[in-house]
Each structure stands twice: as structure tokens, then as C-alpha cells.
Amino acid sequence: MKDVASAAGVALKTVSRVVNGEPGVHPETAERVRAAIDLLGYSRNESARVLRSGRTATIGLVIEDVADPFYAGLSRAVEDVVIEHGCLLLSGSSGEEPGRERELVETFCARRVDGLIVVPAGDDHSYLRPELEAGTAVVFADRPPEPGIDVDTVLADNAGGARRAVRHLLEHGHRRIAFLGDDPAIFTAAERLRGYREELGELFDPRLVSMRSPSAVGVRAELDRLFGLDDPPTALFTGNGRYTVTTLRALERRRVALVGFDDFELADLLDPGVSVVAQDPARMGQVAAELLFHRLTGDAGPSQHVELPVQLIIRGSGELPAGSI
Amino acid sequence: MKDVASAAGVALKTVSRVVNGEPGVHPETAERVRAAIDLLGYSRNESARVLRSGRTATIGLVIEDVADPFYAGLSRAVEDVVIEHGCLLLSGSSGEEPGRERELVETFCARRVDGLIVVPAGDDHSYLRPELEAGTAVVFADRPPEPGIDVDTVLADNAGGARRAVRHLLEHGHRRIAFLGDDPAIFTAAERLRGYREELGELFDPRLVSMRSPSAVGVRAELDRLFGLDDPPTALFTGNGRYTVTTLRALERRRVALVGFDDFELADLLDPGVSVVAQDPARMGQVAAELLFHRLTGDAGPSQHVELPVQLIIRGSGELPAGSI
DNA sequence: GGAGGGGCGGACAACGTTGTCAAGCAGGTG
DNA sequence: CACCTGCTTGACAACGTTGTCCGCCCCTCC
């Protein structure tokens, strides 16, 4: 900028004014400055600007894994809102490790991001307190923060979706419905289990529940166990997208009534099409980002908690009658 | 940092030394400084550090769309390498718009990223010249830069993959093989068309080629046109993952011999399983990031051009005989 | 006891930008 | 002609960090 100023024969500040489109610069002078800028290929140093102004125009996003379609969709939606507000997005995958989550958040904060969107991997968010007090805006998405932390949150209607899935299977005559889901330490998994249990009421049987991380081998073994029971399940409810796919693969084209949580590409092309309770990851990302920018533009009201609806999509697998194995 | 210094009763510089682990500080003093840091919840302002040192420890990634599984996989791999080097990742989706690509690159450069990985959307990369001269390291992935720009590049063996796919179909008795692909203005689409054409040799028939953006309606119409020909195709070769899925959907479970470029989740669960020529997006991201860090650690040799192999995966659809429609 | 040296701590400038404040200048008005 | 006003421009400090350089203190050795 100094070079531009001397090339244009003006003061530093005048160049700054031109670069920032501030008023009060003679059009002719501004033109001369712009010419010098082009000539020298100058581009403003954002680090210095940040240092001076305090605003980084950067948002941090911590998710579990960008390579997971759910989070990829969420990311893209967040990115669109962020760009629209003239900001950039720093993103990182926690890989479901609380330590990594914390590291990412702290690194983002050291870079003075204006706001954070976090899909938490762990339960302990006390490390966020100093940041919150320092005025960093934070929004949690998909999973809530630990109880003591009071920030804007966007969740899906996990329990309601599970109830809807189970009700659908009950309506098709099933009484023995198994649940295959993630470790209940994960909030969404626990919520879906709750919905499943509530909807089943007296039909609930703990032997029909299998919750662990979705390895192909593990799921296969669990299916063997379930179908080996005296009173085996006639229908399956799978607790997330990856679980649904792993289960379908383990079933090896056996036709079993099944409803999955989360939609996934090609669910409609399988035979039968896979009925699912669909979330809208893009909407979740969009809402989270909008809540964040609402805070950034000065809203200091009480924290908001948004619950997004889910939708049952009927494609065939959920409508198979009992006894079709 | 100033507050920490006065709280610990030392000079600014001493705090700086402790924070950076520089030698020459009495252990006891360092301990006092660390206590003050914890007490005040201090975290170093990276912007100021960048301003002073010039290194941002940030890499920019421009892709087409994070929500596309191919780029999501690539992103994740880039992210892993970047984190391993103690850096962060700024990413943005160009949405296949050259203007957006340019904007993203320029914004990243204004933030003084140490390096850039670009999946270009456009053909004109002259805007990169000043950045390259300014010493920003750049790697192109998936598609090459315009001819005049000489930078490290990672491409898949697009033409070879297409040849392999076509050869596979020829080996199964097909002589009328249609190609459905993206606009040949896109490098990868053009290369795949070239491979298709070369492998077919005299069997090549321009009426069997359909290249446009993959809308559901468009693909349906093209299939109608192709199958309405006097001498209709007996097999399809689809030019990328999205095209393959759109085509499968348009086929409405008609059984047609098909090989797709790009692997996709659930390809194995469809009936028949979809044979594909698979790229490895994670490997591409990893190689691109490693090339970049190689440059950043001082390699000034001639630009490198890596071609990644592709792999034919046989699952059933590519092995259907002619006349099975 | 004094000189020399090593270990440690501190003062200061600089990175590139922007906010504050004031100066210069032309034109209009009393 | 003096004064005021409004427009344009510029000088300077400050943001928080790090690199350079200097000085102090204590120890050791002569």
C-alpha cells in the first residue's frame, strides 16, 4: 500500500480510502490510485486489516467428517450463507474425537474467527467458556452442548422421527421391530433410541436393540443374533445413514422390512426402495449459519433452540409385510 | 499479551518467548508466565503473528462443490494432510463458475494463504500470474490449468479409464456403445470422450454421443433418442458419477449393459451391481496436498504432473450381454 | 577483588492497515 | 476583505506480535 501511495503520489490514507470505497476522495485522485494498484498488482493484506479492525470475516466450522454426505451437505449450506455475508469458512473434521474437536475450536479461536458452528463430538464444552465470554458467537448443530453452556442450537427432531418410523412399521403389522444404531453416548443415537422405545411401549424388548459403531462385521453378527432369536424381529429400524447402508449390505439382498434414519442417494433405486425418515442437512446448515449471523449483527437475546422437522419417505422397504424374510 | 506480561511481572518479549517455546527463559519465570496465561485465558492473536512473520499456516482449497461425494472425499484427504502440517484449511465451492473460482482464489490470496489447491472451473488462469510471481504455491487437481500456467498438477487417467471401460464392453460383445457425459468444455469430460473414441476406432458413431449437463429430463430424452435409433446402442458408458446415477434413474430398472466413470456408494447393492471405472478422490487430494507442502518446504524444481491410475470394478452391469434390454 | 563470559530479561522497532484529527483549499456570504 | 463551510487530503498513532539488540546479574577464573 505504501508503494501504491508513492506511485500515485498520494498519502497512505488516501489509498486506504480508495481501497475501502470510503467517500471523500476526488474521482480523479481515486482513478490515479486505482491505476497504481493495477500496475503494481497490489492486494490488501487482510491480516493487517484484521489486526487493526478486529473483524476477521471468517467463520469456523467443526463437523465430524466432510466426507460423510450428511456433513458435506451441511457444509455446503453453511458455506453459501457465509459467502453471502462476505466471509470465508475455515473448516475441520473432528472425526468424532472430543480432543480433536477442542483443538479445532481453540485453533479457530486463536485465529479470531468471528463465529463458530460446532457439531460437537464430546460432552465437555467447558473449554468454550472463555471464548463465549470473550464474545465469540457460537452455534451448535445436530447435537446440543453440555447442559451448562447456553448457546443457539439447531437439532433435528430425532425422537419424533424415530417414533414416526416405528409407527409406520407398526401400521404395517410389525410387532417385533429391531433397532440398530450408534453408541448411545452420541446424542442423536440416544434420542432416536428414546423415540423408538416410547413408540413401542409395551412391545419394547431390549434384546431387539443393538447399539455400537457400525462396522460391517459387527452388523452382520448382530443380524445373525437377532434372526436367531426364538422370537426374531420382522422389521428393522436403522439409526443413521451409514448404519442403514451397512445393514443393507449385511442383509445381502434378503428382503426385510426396514426403515432407516437419514435419506441417502440411490435409496430410491434399490429393490425395494428404502423407506427413510429424512433429515435436511442443508437446511440445518443454513439455519445454523443464519442464527450465527443474527448474533453477529448484534442480537443479544436469549439463546434460541430450533428443532427441524423430519420427513417419512415411503419407497417400499418400510411397507413389506411381516414374515417376508 | 501485554496483560499477561504485567500480571506475571515480566516484559512482553518474555511472554512471547514462553508462548513460542523459545530457549533462554528461566524455568521459574516461564512457570509464572504460564500461570498468568491460564489465569487470564490468554490466547495468541494469530493475525498479529501472521502480520509479523508472513506465514499464515493456512491453505486455500477451491473445489466445485463440497456436497459432491467426489470433492468431499478429496477435501477430507487434503484437510488431513494440511492439519498434519499444523495448518488450517480455507475452502470454497466454485459451483463450476469461473467467476466464482477467481473470486475465491483472489480472496484466499488477499488473506495470504501459504498455498492453494485449485480444481479449476474455468479456462482462464491469467489472474494467477501475479500470485505465482508473488511466491504463492499452487497445485491444480482433477483438471489442468490453462497451457501458459506452469504449476504442479494431479490428474486422473481419464482417457485411459474411458478406454478401459469401452474395452470391457467390447469384450462382452457390444459394438454399439453410447457415451453420456458432461459438456466437453470440462477437461475431464473431453478426455473421457477422447478415450472412448480412440478405443472404439471404426466403431465410433457420433450419433451415440450425448454430452450436456446431466439434468434428469435431458438424460431421459437422450435415452429415448438413443434407443429410438435404427441401430440403437446395446451398452452405455456414462461419463461421471452424477451422470451414472441420473442415467440409472432414467432407465427405470431396465437392464442395460452399463459402465460408469467414478465409483459411488451403493453401486454394489443395485441390481445388477454397477460396474465402474473408479477414481480415488482421497488419493488425489492427498497427492495434491503433499505436492503443495513439498513446494512450501522449498522445492523449486520444475513443475510436476502426476497422473493417478483408475481401476475397473466389475459388479454385473458391465457384463450384461448385448440384447438384454 | 576484578575482569570476562554466559544466561536471562527487557526496550524498541517493524509488519500493513485503519481511525482520529487536523490542515489546506476553494467558494460563498456578511 | 474576513469569516465560515464543505470538500479533499495527509500525518500520526495504534492494533498484537516478533526480531534485533542491548544491558543486567551472577558465576567463574585469574
Side-chain angles (χ1 to χ4, degrees), chain B residues 153-208:
Chain B
T153 307
V154 190
L155 305 176
D157 180 11
N158 290 292
R163 296 188 70 134
R164 186 74 196 81
V166 171
R167 194 181 334 137
H168 186 69
L169 290 167
L170 288 171
E171 284 165 3
H172 282 79
H174 297 277
R175 290 297 172 268
R176 301 285 291 164
I177 303 171
F179 179 51
L180 294 118
D182 253 329
D183 185 338
I186 297 175
F187 172 80
T188 49
E191 281 293 292
R192 292 167 197 177
L193 173 62
R194 181 167 71 81
Y196 161 84
R197 185 169 187 158
E198 285 176 6
E199 189 69 26
L200 278 178
E202 297 196 344
L203 291 173
F204 176 75
D205 176 352
R207 289 176 307 156
L208 294 185

Side-chain angles (χ1 to χ4, degrees), chain B residues 10-11 13-14 17 24-26 29 51-52:
Chain B
V10 298
K13 181 62 200 178
T14 304
R17 273 193 266 260
V25 179
H26 193 88
T29 314
L51 178 60
R52 191 70 177 91

Side-chain angles (χ1 to χ4, degrees), chain A residues 180-192:
Chain A
L180 295 119
D182 253 328
D183 186 339
I186 297 175
F187 171 81
T188 49
E191 280 293 292
R192 292 168 196 176

Side-chain angles (χ1 to χ4, degrees), chain A residues 10-11 13-14 17 24-26 29 51-52:
Chain A
V10 298
K13 182 62 202 181
T14 303
R17 272 195 265 261
V25 178
H26 194 86
T29 314
L51 178 59
R52 190 68 177 89

Side-chain angles (χ1 to χ4, degrees), chain A residues 86-159:
Chain A
C87 298
L88 284 184
L89 190 65
L90 274 173
S91 53
S93 301
S94 72
E96 208 70 89
E97 291 171 35
R100 184 87 178 263
E101 169 203 329
R102 177 176 179 159
E103 263 174 47
L104 283 168
V105 168
E106 288 181 342
T107 316
F108 288 164
C109 287
R111 305 233 177 171
R112 299 291 186 274
V113 292
D114 294 335
L116 272 174
I117 296 176
V118 182
V119 177
D123 285 331
D124 177 12
H125 303 117
S126 51
Y127 66 86
L128 265 176
R129 259 178 232 288
E131 312 301 346
L132 289 170
E133 280 161 22
T136 309
V138 179
V139 174
F140 274 66
D142 194 42
R143 308 169 186 174
E146 66 168 87
I149 303 277
D150 181 42
V151 298
D152 294 343
T153 308
V154 190
L155 305 175
D157 180 12
N158 291 292

